Amino acid sequence: MRTTGTLFGRAEELSTLHGLVADARAGRGNALVLKGEAGIGKTTLLDDAATTATATGLTVLRGTGLEPESELPFAGLHLLLRSVLDAVGDLDPDDARVLRRALGTDSGRTPRTDGDVPVGQALLTLFDTLALRAPVLVVVDDAHWLDTPSAEALLFAARRADAHPVAVLLAARDTHAPAFPTPGVPDLPLARLDDTAVAALLDAHTPDLDRHLRDETVGEAAGNPLAALTLAADRRAG
Ligand SMILES: Nc1ncnc2c1ncn2[C@@H]1O[C@H](COP(=O)(O)OP(=O)(O)OP(=O)(O)O)[C@@H](O)[C@H]1O
Ligand SMILES: [Mg+2]
């Protein structure tokens, strides 16, 4: 269930994300992983950050982990970079070769082999090159479904983003999903919304819901916005 409009109860998180985007715009890179349960609002916050970044002139690269591609080496990186593959040609030959081999756009050995730079390093160089035009925001949703080589390369870049004009924003479920450890990259854990925020969310999306039913729904949803919207829709239908 996708909704648009006001976000309730996420002032602090939005301020953190807008700060990350503003820093990237000023040339100060950073990285953050949003973590939380299903339906808690990870994608919604990523969308907000991406919209803010696009509106303020950043280049936004968006990708996502996908369960069916989670065993395909570098599938996630390919999805993320598909709109900027031309820029790989602007890299120095070593970085370009490593990235092309990873992305399957060049024949040859599979990275990483001795003497090659790590794919994550080549990725940072690509972000630097893109940032000559505009600072870069990298947004990857459902990162727990990334194939391992893509996750490793992205986390390598994320850990070093502070020395580059790139912000790396990832989101991952932290329950009922494959583990996605992110050592060296700061987390933003998404707590459940408080009841006031859930009530406001329901008032905005299901204003015709009887007040008693609304309060019951707030209790049952226990701070999960997707649960609140789904329960309210069921109640309205029933
Ligand atoms: N703070 C909020 N205010 C209003 N609506 C919200 C808020 N957070 C989430 N929502 C709504 O709740 C639903 C679930 O949010 P979202 O898809 O972002 O969750 P998610 O954490 O990405 O879940 P998943 O792990 O399943 O991908 C969406 O309809 C979204 O618009
Ligand atoms: Mg999501």
Side-chain angles (χ1 to χ4, degrees), residues 42-43 141-142:
K42 300 179 295 297
T43 301
D141 202 358
D142 293 334

Side-chain angles (χ1 to χ4, degrees), residues 1-3 6-8 10 37-44 142 173 193 201 205 225-226 229:
M1 186 180 300
R2 184 120 296 279
T3 61
T6 314
L7 294 189
F8 299 96
R10 291 292 187 209
E37 65 191 28
I40 201 69
K42 300 179 295 297
T43 301
T44 305
D142 293 334
R173 283 188 185 171
L193 300 181
L201 163 66
H205 288 281
L226 180 62
L229 291 168

